[in-house]
Amino acid sequence: MLTALSIRDIVLIEALDLDFRSGLGALTGETGAGKSILLDALGLALGMRADSGLVRNGAAQAVVTASFDLPNDHATAELLHENGLSAEQGEPLVIRRIIKADGGSRATVNDQAASASFLKELAPHLVEIHGQHDDRGLLNPRGHRALLDVFGRIDTAAATAAHREWRSAEDRLAGAIAELETAARDREWLEHAVAELTALGAEAGEEATLAAARADMQKGARLAEDLSAVSAHLDGSDGGAAQLRQAARRLDRIAAEHPLLADALAALDRAVIEASEAEDKLAAAHDALSFDPVRLDDAETRLFELRAMARKHRVEPDALADLALELTERLGRIESGGQGIARLEAEVTATRAAYDAATAELTVARTAAAMRLDAAVASELAPLKLDAARFRTTVAPLAEAQWGPAGRDRVEFEISTNPGAPFAPLIKIASGGELSRFILALKVALAEEGGACTMIFDEIDRGVGGAVASAIGERLARLSARAQLLVVTHSPQVAARADAHWLIAKSHDGIVTRTGVTVLDADERREEIARMLSGAAVTDEARAQAARLLEAA
């Protein structure tokens, strides 16, 4: 609930600090005393457009601070978390709005910077303002379905989930159809590309292998004469290797004759081994660098084909194998696309049927809840002197384009103010006094089903008196048992029902006019109610009547 409101330099209010409590609070005062200023100030804290004209003449800025005491599980806790703002459990929610006289404004929530749009998002969870000129809240048809759902305790979770699945299936189907149409346009190209790539049969790493083999063969062609000459020196019975072996065998017969001969033999043995290794290496090199014009031509032709195909498809040669697989799969999807589309169409049909079933249940539940709400409102109309009026909750189908997570129903509150008169939206046919009483009757009927923690009724009793004003006061008092209520009123019957009473009055010191607010004690309350009964001159009869009203309350 709203626990405190601090105002600095708003219009005629220089400095004002108000503390509030639960129950019904009445704000009274003569016309023009400045009651609307209080509501404007609170509106600023709730995200209303910042108007520099609200800054008191001569002041540099205006400041409004509103404090709320909320339960830990209040909806605002999640909103604060989603917007990166913190709130300590058990601590009040403090909203501050500053408006500069030269334009511009800023806001904080618990001393953390916040935008005006975020304040507007918080506002419905904190305060409801109802009055005959209110074109939001209960008078806005866009919110009627949600109000009926809350009243009827209707759970829309199943419909929301079914709607999500249905739309998701439709999106998948649309995507598959678009892909199939695009692929179908490319079918001829795909068939040719797949055939071409399949015929080529490229393998990963093939280009590097061919390039290395071609390079070796080209080297072999260049080194063939030298390799042959070297082999001639080593190979054959007269070659160097054979001569070393012969020398080693002959030296072996006389090596025992002297140590130096033995050393020479050892050296020859090593030379023979090295020569043999050289022969093996030369043979291997000859094989590796063997020059075959046919093989070289084949390698160069294959390389040309691989690289040409890679340029054509704008990929690296090593990627041709993967590309062939990818295009083959795309072609396969085209050929089997009809089956996939049929499967997705079946999914859309099934999920649509699930949504239809879930929303049909919502419609039944809303229709039943509408009948209960109509009866509840009807029971409130006679005491408010709206005997001839009728109220109904219309539950009608929406166009398919408007179906959504909350169902397929349009819900609107309508009234007929006279017998035989057609039903129409509240705001279009009710007079100011009737409209305010309809709002009260509807709010009383909906009250047990929750809402903001604080409700403000702005002159909802205007244009009525006597028994009707008493009935209004009784219903406001009933509402205040479930939520904090503040009422701006000119009715003594309503003011007498209040648990707390504030008097709003202007004062003038000859230079500056100011608006002030005074908390009234029991005697002051009786005097103010007497003034409301009799006018400027308060009579003893008015005081006696005021006392009777207070006692009856």
Side-chain angles (χ1 to χ4, degrees):
M1 68 174 188
L2 177 66
T3 56
L5 182 65
S6 174
I7 303 173
R8 295 292 183 273
D9 296 317
I10 295 285
V11 192
L12 299 179
I13 298 176
E14 185 173 356
L16 182 63
D17 295 293
L18 296 176
D19 294 320
F20 299 95
R21 62 187 186 186
S22 59
L24 177 61
L27 293 92
T28 65
E30 296 181 354
T31 300
K35 296 184 289 295
S36 63
I37 300 175
L38 288 178
L39 296 183
D40 287 343
L42 181 59
L44 286 172
L46 299 174
M48 185 182 79
R49 186 177 68 86
D51 183 355
S52 59
L54 291 173
V55 180
R56 187 175 63 85
N57 187 31
Q61 65 180 25
V63 183
V64 179
T65 305
S67 298
F68 296 86
D69 187 12
L70 306 171
N72 292 334
D73 59 352
H74 195 263
T76 53
E78 185 176 351
L79 283 174
L80 290 171
H81 177 72
E82 289 174 353
N83 286 270
L85 300 175
S86 60
E88 296 292 333
Q89 286 193 354
E91 293 296 320
L93 178 70
V94 180
I95 300 174
R96 180 172 290 108
R97 189 86 181 274
I98 300 173
I99 306 173
K100 295 183 179 180
D102 57 0
S105 71
R106 59 187 178 90
T108 62
V109 175
N110 290 349
D111 293 324
Q112 301 162 91
S115 65
S117 61
F118 177 64
L119 298 187
K120 286 183 180 179
E121 191 176 358
L122 278 178
H125 302 286
L126 299 173
V127 177
E128 292 179 16
I129 299 178
H130 301 290
Q132 58 182 327
H133 301 298
D134 183 18
D135 60 354
R136 299 160 296 174
L138 297 180
L139 299 186
N140 188 344
R142 286 180 294 181
H144 290 177
R145 184 172 65 186
L147 288 170
L148 180 63
D149 286 351
V150 172
F151 174 81
R153 293 184 171 89
I154 296 171
D155 187 359
T156 61
T160 299
H163 182 267
R164 182 173 57 251
E165 292 299 323
W166 175 34
R167 293 306 188 197
S168 178
E170 285 191 324
D171 290 343
R172 290 195 298 274
L173 175 60
I177 290 174
E179 181 180 353
L180 188 61
E181 289 175 349
T182 300
R185 290 194 298 268
D186 298 335
R187 180 168 188 157
E188 183 178 346
W189 177 86
L190 278 172
E191 290 175 340
H192 172 75
V194 168
E196 195 174 48
L197 288 167
T198 302
L200 181 65
E203 297 179 0
E206 183 180 4
E207 184 209 22
T209 301
L210 286 171
R214 183 185 67 172
D216 286 345
M217 284 189 285
Q218 289 173 337
K219 289 177 183 177
R222 189 175 68 248
L223 301 176
E225 184 178 346
D226 292 330
L227 288 174
S228 297
V230 172
S231 296
H233 287 302
L234 290 176
D235 295 341
S237 58
D238 294 331
Q243 295 292 331
L244 285 172
R245 293 186 188 97
Q246 290 177 9
R249 284 195 295 272
R250 191 158 191 163
L251 184 60
D252 183 53
R253 292 197 294 269
I254 62 173
E257 300 297 328
H258 194 279
L260 289 175
L261 294 176
D263 291 342
L265 178 61
L268 273 177
D269 287 340
R270 291 195 297 273
V272 168
I273 294 172
E274 293 292 336
S276 297
E277 289 182 1
E279 286 181 314
D280 293 341
K281 297 292 184 182
L282 281 171
H286 184 273
D287 291 339
L289 297 173
S290 62
F291 171 66
D292 182 348
V294 175
R295 283 181 57 214
L296 178 60
D297 184 64
D298 289 345
E300 289 181 335
T301 299
R302 181 65 174 172
L303 276 173
F304 176 80
E305 291 174 348
L306 289 173
R307 290 170 177 174
M309 189 68 72
R311 287 194 300 273
K312 180 177 181 178
H313 290 283
R314 298 180 181 179
V315 297
E316 292 296 322
D318 279 351
L320 287 172
D322 290 338
L323 178 64
L325 180 61
E326 177 189 339
L327 296 184
T328 300
E329 289 176 350
R330 282 179 58 185
L331 188 59
R333 286 198 296 271
I334 294 175
E335 294 171 348
S336 63
Q339 298 175 358
I341 295 298
R343 178 181 57 79
L344 290 173
E345 287 175 339
E347 287 184 11
V348 170
T349 300
T351 53
R352 163 67 183 268
Y355 177 75
D356 288 344
T359 52
E361 291 181 6
L362 283 184
T363 300
V364 171
R366 283 171 178 150
T367 301
M371 295 175 65
R372 297 197 303 273
L373 179 59
D374 293 351
V377 174
S379 68
E380 298 292 333
L381 296 181
L384 296 172
K385 294 300 181 286
L386 294 169
D387 313 62
R390 291 175 298 155
F391 173 88
R392 76 177 182 188
T393 305
T394 299
V395 180
L398 288 166
E400 184 169 342
Q402 296 175 296
W403 293 359
R408 306 178 299 183
D409 305 312
R410 176 182 65 83
V411 176
E412 186 167 0
F413 302 146
E414 297 178 330
I415 60 169
S416 169
T417 54
N418 297 297
F423 281 91
L426 285 170
I427 199 169
K428 289 188 177 179
I429 66 173
S431 65
E434 288 176 329
L435 182 58
S436 63
R437 283 175 278 158
F438 268 112
I439 290 174
L440 180 58
L442 185 54
K443 192 61 190 177
V444 169
L446 293 168
E448 293 185 358
E449 311 310 326
C453 54
T454 299
M455 288 183 283
I456 297 175
F457 288 86
D458 181 16
E459 298 187 1
I460 200 168
D461 50 9
R462 174 175 289 185
V464 300
V468 178
S470 295
I472 291 174
E474 187 274 330
R475 278 152 181 77
L476 290 172
R478 194 195 314 170
L479 278 177
S480 70
R482 306 183 188 104
Q484 180 189 44
L485 257 72
L486 298 174
V487 55
V488 177
T489 181
H490 290 285
S491 170
Q493 292 90 340
V494 173
R497 290 277 186 173
D499 300 302
H501 193 155
W502 292 271
L503 174 63
I504 303 171
K506 283 183 181 179
S507 63
H508 187 68
D509 60 8
I511 300 175
V512 179
T513 299
R514 296 181 176 86
T515 290
V517 180
T518 305
V519 181
L520 302 183
D521 59 23
D523 291 337
E524 292 168 335
R525 282 193 70 191
R526 185 187 61 190
E527 192 70 11
E528 170 61 8
I529 292 173
R531 182 199 64 77
M532 296 170 73
L533 286 165
S534 64
V538 180
T539 64
D540 290 339
E541 175 65 25
R543 291 188 178 94
Q545 178 63 19
R548 287 192 290 272
L549 286 175
L550 288 167
E551 289 173 3

